[in-house]
Amino acid sequence: MVNAVFYHKEDTTYKDVRGKVYHFPGSYLSRVVQTIGSLIVYYGPLPGVTGRHYSGIARVRAVEQDPDLANHHFARLDEYIDFDRPVDYRENGGFERQLVRPDLSVNGGRSVQAVRLIDAHEFSAIVEAGLSEPDEWPARIDSIDDAMPAWTMGEPPQDAYIAAPEPRAIISQVINRPFRDLKFRQHVRKVYDRRCAFTGLRLINGGGRPEVEAAHIIPVERGGNDSVQNGIALSGTVHWMFDRGLLSLADDFNILCSRHLNADVSHLLVPDLMARVPAERHLRPHPHYIAWHRDNIFKQ
C-alpha cells in the first residue's frame, strides 16, 4: 500500500465528488491501484486562494472502470477529512522532494502529474501540517483520552471533546472517530462563522463557546464522510429535526419543511427560507450529499 497525492480542482470537467469519487484517465491507473487501502492527500488550486495547496485526506477503497468513457476510471473513496487550513506545497521548503528542489524551484515534469506517489514520511509531514491547528472554540472536556465515546448510534455529543493531540500523534489519530468528530465540528463551525444555517442565529454562551452544532448531511453510520461539504451548522432544535427528516435542503439551498411536522416551525427559520451557507462554493453542501438526504432521510 502506497500513499499518493491526487490533484483536484473544484471546477474540474472530471466526474469528481471530493472525498467520495475521484475520476481519472487510464494513464494513472497503475499508480492509483497501488493506493487501494491507503490514505491519499488532495492537492490543487482552491477558490480565492493563490497557488496550489494540500487540502484534505481520504482512503482509496476500490478502483472501477468508467462504463461511459473509454480509458477512464473511478477511485472510490471514504474517510475523507478536510485540513484545518490549506497547506502550501512549498511551505517549510516543500514537502515532496521530487516536486520542490532544494533551491525551491519546482520540477515541472513532476508538477503536471495528477497522481503522484509519495513516501510515508512526506505524507506524514503534510498531514501533520494540515491537522495540527487547535480549535478556536474548544469544548468543555480536557482531552480526547478522557472522553472516549459512550454513544452507539447517531451523532456524537457536540461537546464531547476539546483538544487535538500533539502533531506527532496525528497520523495514528486520523482514523479515530473522536478525533474526526472534533475536526469536523471545528471546520463546520469555522466556515459557517458559528451561525446556524437555518435560523441565522449566532449564539455564544457565557464561556465564549458557540452553541451551534455541526451536522452531518449523510450520517457517518450511513457512509457519510467528514468533509465540510457533507456538513452544515445547525442549532440544536433544527439539528434534531434535520436528522429526523423533518427539514431538508433543495439544491439551491431552499429549506424544505416536511408535511410530517406537527407544528408550524416557520418562526424558527430564516424568513426567506434560504439557508445561510458559505459564499465559497467549495465550502457549501455538495448536491450529492443533500440529494441523498432528500431521498433517504427527508419525510416528504
Side-chain angles (χ1 to χ4, degrees), residues 78-278:
D78 63 13
E79 296 184 26
Y80 179 84
I81 187 169
D82 293 293
F83 282 170
D84 300 341
R85 62 180 179 88
V87 177
D88 192 300
Y89 71 99
R90 297 163 300 182
E91 187 175 302
N92 296 328
F95 294 92
E96 298 176 65
R97 291 190 300 274
Q98 294 184 51
L99 177 64
V100 182
R101 301 185 180 99
D103 63 0
L104 299 185
S105 64
V106 176
N107 181 339
R110 183 77 169 170
S111 68
V112 298
Q113 298 177 16
V115 177
R116 304 193 295 266
L117 302 182
I118 60 174
D119 70 35
H121 295 292
E122 292 176 342
F123 180 79
S124 296
I126 294 168
V127 175
E128 289 185 359
L131 287 172
S132 296
E133 291 200 348
D135 192 346
E136 187 175 352
W137 309 293
R140 299 182 179 90
I141 298 174
D142 290 335
S143 72
I144 287 179
D145 292 337
D146 294 336
M148 293 304 289
W151 61 87
T152 56
M153 296 179 61
E155 294 285 340
Q158 289 286 319
D159 280 340
Y161 314 108
I162 180 170
E166 292 299 314
R168 63 180 179 273
I170 285 179
I171 295 301
S172 64
Q173 290 285 348
V174 293
I175 60 172
N176 180 280
R177 190 68 245 164
F179 177 84
R180 297 175 72 87
D181 289 330
L182 179 153
K183 287 299 179 182
F184 178 74
R185 183 189 63 195
Q186 177 182 342
H187 300 157
V188 171
R189 282 176 164 179
K190 181 177 180 179
V191 301
Y192 283 83
D193 193 26
R194 299 171 287 174
R195 189 181 306 276
C196 174
F198 282 15
T199 68
L201 296 176
R202 188 170 179 263
L203 301 176
I204 309 298
N205 69 19
R209 291 183 295 269
E211 293 297 337
V212 73
E213 300 174 355
H216 285 90
I217 298 171
I218 302 180
V220 171
E221 64 271 19
R222 302 285 294 274
N225 62 31
D226 297 298
S227 167
V228 293
Q229 292 188 307
N230 186 42
I232 189 166
L234 299 174
S235 60
T237 299
V238 295
H239 186 177
W240 182 90
M241 290 190 284
F242 185 80
D243 283 352
R244 283 152 185 80
L246 301 175
L247 296 173
S248 192
L249 278 176
D251 286 347
D252 64 356
F253 307 116
N254 184 57
I255 300 170
L256 305 177
C257 298
S258 170
R259 291 178 297 174
H260 292 258
L261 279 166
N262 57 15
D264 180 9
V265 299
S266 59
H267 62 286
L268 296 176
L269 307 174
V270 289
D272 60 1
L273 292 182
M274 292 297 297
R276 304 314 194 234
V277 297

Side-chain angles (χ1 to χ4, degrees), residues 15 65-70 74:
K15 294 178 277 189
Q65 186 171 353
D66 183 344
D68 302 317
L69 186 61
F74 296 106

Side-chain angles (χ1 to χ4, degrees), residues 31-46:
R31 297 183 188 180
V32 176
V33 166
Q34 294 180 64
T35 70
I36 294 175
S38 299
L39 291 167
I40 58 89
V41 63
Y42 268 79
Y43 163 84
L46 295 170

